[in-house]
Amino acid sequence: MNVVLGISGGIAAYKAPDLVRRLRERGANVQIVMTASAEEFVTSTALQAVSGKPIRSNLWDKEAEAAMSHIELARWADVVVIAPATAEVMARIVSGGAPDLLTTICLATEAPIALAPAMNHVMWGNAATQANREVLEKRGIHILGPGIGSQACGETGAGRMLEPDAIAAAVFSLGGGKGESLLDGRKVVITAGPTREAIDPVRYITNRSSGKMGYALASAAAAQGAKVVLISGPVSVPAPPGIEVVDVESAEQMYEATHTAIVDADIFIAAAAVADYRPATVVKQKIKKKSDAMSIELVRCPDILASVAEMESSPFTVGFAAETENVIEYARGKLENKKLDMIVANRVGDNFGFDRDDNTATALWHDGQKSFPTCSKIDLSRELIELVAQHFYAVRSADTQPRLTAISNSD
Ligand code: PMT
């Protein structure tokens, strides 16, 4: 896959060499185009070393234009991504002007364009920037993030550039998995996040799931060429570009949405933390404090994962097991009881699993298992999707993927 990586002048440009590395690791050819102010934050020497290609920055560089003109570069790209994208570069693209090489390429390309904004949170919240974001989105430009957190200026808020691996995953999903396509033409349905089970109009029962694991899996599956339907409980993780997201709230709604999407699916991955129980009745008006104690009768929610696994022509079905103790033993029990093809066991609670960027997991199948050391949910997802793809083809159609290696029962 050919990626034009535009770098504009923000402090997050220091992450650009890492982004180049992540893109190249996945097999992308990366051509860097820097704006003049980007050079204030990261050197072209470092970027040339990691990308293996001379850096382009000047629209009027006769020698470089003779080798590959800006128009050829715009045609060569399968995806154009700008990371970091400053408020200034967003405004320039909105205006439709072409004062420099990067904005000229944006005007001249037919490839998908993605911007990973990075700026101070007040600049991001400014009405002008938000209006520009809206225009860009309406024109079909993908806005990746930004993330929320502490900023280089010492303040906290929305405006942090997404991590390089998340951007690389999004770029590959925009490129339709070009370059790496283990799941080309396959449909993958993934559930993510928590569910909310209403008690009354203002209260509900939920859990600590953030959706990060399920969303990372969705990006990783799309990066491998899959058509992904992500059925999501209420989360604040940004929707991955190019992925159909179906928003739901309760376990019942997640069940319905899953069974609508699952009909022609090849793989189902249940990463959502679905409620096991819900209030037997939803009280119509807000419950008033009357006595010192109260109890709520709970009834079982449908088990979405088990219901998919028991379908007559079920897809390759992968569950997750969130456990606080006896993690592997309990997970293997769920693998057998729910008749799954695979289960991913992860410890939760006490700084594990929920609402974190990292995870530690073991994938289990009937006659084997594989442990993954603690790593980011993004890296873990990439490895899990490869493992799932290997097992999917081994079980369902071993003859269709000659490049897959034999599966070993490793740990
Ligand atoms: O969202 P994050 O903050 O990133 O956290 C990630 C995670 C910890 C939520 C995730 O990695 C995880 O473990 N997800 C499964 C959580 C869970 O509900 O585990 P469980 O052991 O209670 O359920 C077993 C399996 O049955 C799960 O695949 C679950 O999706 C499924 N299930 C459970 C109940 C139900 N009513 N329907 C279901 O489909």
Side-chain angles (χ1 to χ4, degrees):
M1 185 162 90
N2 296 332
V3 178
V4 166
L5 168 59
I7 304 172
S8 62
I11 182 66
Y14 82 90
K15 293 183 177 171
D18 190 22
L19 175 55
V20 176
R21 192 172 64 82
R22 303 287 175 153
L23 289 166
R24 292 194 71 194
E25 263 173 17
R26 291 165 184 248
N29 303 306
V30 181
Q31 174 61 61
I32 295 172
V33 176
M34 292 171 85
T35 64
S37 48
E39 309 234 16
E40 302 289 331
F41 296 93
V42 59
T43 70
S44 50
T45 318
L47 289 167
Q48 179 159 330
V50 285
S51 70
K53 282 191 173 60
I55 306 306
R56 300 287 300 270
S57 53
N58 187 353
L59 186 54
W60 309 111
D61 180 337
K62 288 201 181 86
E63 214 175 290
E65 282 287 304
M68 189 169 350
S69 75
H70 57 279
I71 298 295
E72 284 169 304
L73 209 46
R75 287 196 194 120
W76 172 85
D78 292 308
V79 178
V80 175
V81 57
I82 305 182
T86 58
E88 163 64 17
V89 92
M90 288 173 68
R92 259 187 283 163
I93 297 171
V94 167
S95 79
D100 54 38
L101 180 60
L102 184 55
T103 46
T104 306
I105 290 171
C106 289
L107 268 187
T109 193
E110 288 179 329
I113 301 176
L115 307 184
M119 64 197 76
N120 165 273
H121 67 104
V122 181
M123 290 173 77
W124 174 249
N126 186 289
T129 310
Q130 287 307 308
N132 287 340
R133 176 191 56 76
E134 235 176 274
V135 172
L136 292 167
E137 282 181 333
K138 275 197 191 120
R139 289 183 194 160
I141 292 181
H142 302 271
I143 306 293
L144 312 176
I148 300 171
S150 59
Q151 301 202 286
C153 55
E155 295 170 7
T156 301
R160 277 170 65 97
M161 189 172 88
L162 292 188
E163 288 308 314
D165 212 10
I167 298 173
V171 167
F172 270 84
S173 77
L174 284 174
K178 227 175 170 182
E180 280 182 87
S181 50
L182 279 178
L183 294 175
D184 222 0
R186 302 290 172 185
K187 178 174 174 184
V188 179
V189 176
I190 299 176
T191 63
T195 60
R196 284 180 183 169
E197 308 304 326
I199 299 170
D200 68 11
V202 295
R203 303 178 179 97
Y204 51 78
I205 299 171
T206 191
N207 59 64
R208 296 180 190 278
S209 170
S210 63
K212 286 179 182 174
M213 190 72 238
Y215 276 58
L217 284 162
S219 292
Q224 290 289 8
K227 173 183 177 342
V228 179
V229 179
L230 177 61
I231 299 166
S232 174
V235 297
S236 54
V237 186
I243 288 174
E244 181 186 343
V245 182
V246 182
D247 290 312
V248 297
E249 208 166 284
S250 65
E252 195 76 45
Q253 288 168 354
M254 192 173 271
Y255 177 94
E256 293 301 331
T258 301
H259 280 277
T260 303
I262 211 75
V263 182
D264 52 351
D266 298 289
I267 296 171
F268 175 57
I269 305 178
V274 188
D276 291 319
Y277 293 91
R278 63 175 167 79
T281 49
V282 181
V283 179
K284 285 219 162 54
Q285 304 300 335
K286 184 181 170 196
I287 300 170
K288 294 288 177 198
K289 298 191 278 287
K290 283 191 196 130
S291 46
D292 286 347
M294 71 171 288
S295 55
I296 299 171
E297 191 195 346
L298 300 177
V299 293
R300 284 294 287 267
C301 293
D303 190 319
I304 303 166
L305 179 61
S307 71
V308 169
E310 71 191 14
M311 282 166 58
E312 203 173 310
S313 53
S314 60
F316 185 88
T317 304
V318 183
F320 266 74
E323 308 292 351
T324 55
E325 58 177 347
N326 304 328
V327 178
I328 303 296
E329 183 193 332
Y330 288 165
R332 198 163 275 290
K334 285 177 183 170
L335 174 77
E336 306 300 341
N337 295 339
K338 298 196 189 198
K339 300 189 171 43
L340 310 177
D341 293 298
M342 187 181 280
I343 196 159
V344 181
N346 48 195
R347 185 179 290 280
V348 291
D350 282 345
N351 293 326
F352 286 106
F354 284 125
D355 199 12
R356 294 176 58 87
D357 290 332
D358 60 14
N359 202 359
T360 315
T362 299
L364 311 168
W365 54 97
H366 297 286
D367 54 359
Q369 66 185 62
K370 181 176 165 81
S371 296
F372 299 91
T374 305
C375 61
S376 74
K377 284 178 178 169
I378 291 166
D379 284 340
L380 175 63
S381 296
R382 206 165 50 220
E383 297 213 40
L384 282 175
I385 289 295
E386 280 176 19
L387 187 73
V388 166
Q390 284 179 6
H391 282 257
F392 164 72
Y393 287 114
V395 171
R396 301 287 152 111
S397 51
D399 51 347
T400 59
Q401 288 286 303
R403 78 187 177 100
L404 290 173
T405 48
I407 299 161
S408 59
N409 293 341
S410 53
D411 193 353

